[in-house]
Amino acid sequence: VEYDGTRFPAIIFGNIANQLRELNGMTFKESDVFVVAYPKSGTHWCYEIVAMLRNNSSELTKQSPPLIDRLPVEKLRQVSDGVRVSHLLPRHMPRDSIERRCKIIHIYRNPKDVAVSYFNFLKKTKEGELIKDMKFDVFFQMFITDQLHRGSWIDYVKEWTDFKEENVEYPLLNICYENMKKDLRGHVKIIADFLEVKPSEELMDKIAHKCEFQTMSAFKHNNIPDSMCRITEVRDKHIMYRKGEVGDWKNWLTVAQSEALDERIQARNLPLEIHYS
Ligand code: A3P
């Protein structure tokens, strides 16, 4: 469905206008934290790090992260550690969370890898029924012409970076997936500093180890939350954790497709470092 200048997946999100209204009726604590991302940019990865740091633990969660776009507000109120995730644009974030200046971590990823990840993910979900037999080139065309059901990748990162530019003092941290892949331990520290928590060096080592792709995906494959079973028929493994690599797009995109996306990004002047290696 189209709503307020962007798109939402009606099948799983139900009535988005209602959801946004309900979110605007919620109150938060100053200490609450949001991880925001365009889908397939590392939302779950970043969420686990934030949740561990906040809980002073190195245990991976067995639940899906509380996604504010979809969960009923009664459930969202029950989030005890105050960490929630969102794929919403800044203008759709719950009003009180922004007024209270809750901390926000925005994770972004090379959109070429995002497109590949999204294609592979959707094909395994009930919401992806319509693209089951679709070829990647058709899907990619939809991705770069903003026809996918989560709206435009470029608009998403542009609106979040604009939000920070317009609200320089707002506690928002941009994290790049590729940088986090290169230096996970360093990013655990960056995130801890941003959250103003003081974990021991040993705990940060453990968190980094638990959040390595191999460790995390093995754990998640063995602990599939019920909510995941509702969106997919695949019950024997966790479809959120596919390859966790940088640059898989080179196995999928043609030179022409890659250049077409580059041109669109250059035309929008994104103030972000985007890694194409
Ligand atoms: P791939 O499909 O390329 O493997 P999101 O959580 O926003 O839906 O993002 C999912 C993507 O993040 C998937 O990408 C997934 O494998 C990757 N991911 C999840 N955990 C990761 C980790 N610990 N390290 C690196 N990538 C991870």
Side-chain angles (χ1 to χ4, degrees):
V1 289
E2 297 256 356
Y3 181 76
D4 194 23
T6 187
R7 287 174 180 240
F8 295 92
I11 299 172
I12 54 162
F13 284 14
N15 186 333
I16 191 68
N18 256 356
Q19 180 72 0
L20 297 182
R21 203 171 312 115
E22 298 253 310
L23 289 176
N24 276 338
M26 277 184 81
T27 50
F28 295 87
K29 294 191 187 127
E30 278 78 4
S31 58
D32 286 350
V33 182
F34 293 82
V35 173
V36 304
Y38 189 86
K40 316 323 292 174
S41 304
T43 325
H44 288 71
W45 189 19
C46 192
Y47 168 78
E48 293 293 333
I49 297 171
V50 173
M52 285 183 189
L53 286 169
R54 291 267 303 204
N55 295 322
N56 200 33
S57 126
S58 56
E59 296 298 315
L60 288 162
T61 65
K62 293 185 179 170
Q63 293 87 35
S64 292
L67 182 64
I68 66 168
D69 322 18
R70 188 181 62 205
L71 281 185
V73 291
E74 310 83 69
K75 281 241 166 84
L76 289 173
R77 285 201 182 95
Q78 289 160 17
V79 171
S80 55
D81 63 3
V83 187
R84 299 173 180 87
V85 305
S86 167
H87 299 312
L88 298 175
L89 293 166
R91 66 172 181 275
H92 294 143
M93 289 293 282
R95 199 172 295 132
D96 188 65
S97 70
I98 301 292
E99 282 171 8
R100 272 180 212 276
R101 303 173 71 78
C102 294
K103 289 189 166 75
I104 297 175
I105 302 179
H106 169 224
I107 179 160
Y108 66 96
R109 182 184 191 186
N110 178 351
K112 297 174 189 175
D113 278 331
V114 169
V116 171
S117 177
Y118 212 176
F119 178 71
N120 284 288
F121 170 75
L122 279 179
K123 284 212 163 217
K124 295 191 185 118
T125 64
K126 290 178 189 162
E127 72 176 298
E129 192 68 35
L130 290 171
I131 67 148
K132 238 184 181 70
D133 301 317
M134 193 181 274
K135 295 263 183 307
F136 179 72
D137 56 346
V138 179
F139 180 87
F140 186 76
Q141 195 54 28
M142 288 177 74
F143 179 75
I144 64 168
T145 54
D146 307 340
Q147 291 174 59
L148 287 188
H149 66 336
R150 284 316 313 241
S152 153
W153 179 88
I154 299 182
D155 283 351
Y156 192 88
V157 294
K158 178 87 178 118
E159 289 193 30
W160 274 108
T161 47
D162 284 354
F163 174 85
K164 177 67 180 169
E165 264 181 25
E166 287 155 20
N167 304 276
V168 185
E169 300 295 319
Y170 194 98
L172 185 151
L173 176 70
N174 280 312
I175 293 266
C176 166
Y177 178 102
E178 290 75 17
N179 286 345
M180 189 144 99
K181 207 46 212 179
K182 235 183 261 162
D183 179 15
L184 181 52
R185 175 62 172 81
H187 277 69
V188 172
K189 171 82 173 113
I190 291 171
I191 295 172
D193 289 347
F194 175 71
L195 295 176
E196 299 175 272
V197 292
K198 305 225 174 309
S200 65
E201 294 293 322
E202 194 195 349
L203 179 61
M204 286 193 283
D205 291 344
K206 277 193 189 156
I207 293 175
H209 170 67
K210 286 281 181 73
C211 292
E212 287 290 349
F213 183 76
Q214 298 308 341
T215 327
M216 188 166 155
S217 60
F219 177 89
K220 296 287 180 177
H221 284 182
N222 293 325
N223 293 282
I224 302 177
D226 291 348
S227 54
M228 198 47 61
C229 298
R230 283 199 294 279
I231 67 163
T232 172
E233 296 295 351
V234 186
R235 279 156 206 273
D236 58 341
K237 58 188 176 129
H238 200 311
I239 60 167
M240 287 291 176
Y241 305 86
R242 189 182 60 97
K243 283 187 164 182
E245 286 174 3
V246 172
D248 188 31
W249 65 269
K250 288 178 186 160
N251 300 315
W252 291 79
L253 271 68
T254 61
V255 172
Q257 285 171 329
S258 168
E259 286 176 358
L261 182 48
D262 291 345
E263 271 168 31
R264 280 166 201 267
I265 291 170
Q266 274 152 21
R268 291 293 294 278
N269 223 355
L270 293 180
L272 291 174
E273 185 191 0
I274 300 180
H275 293 260
Y276 291 132
S277 53

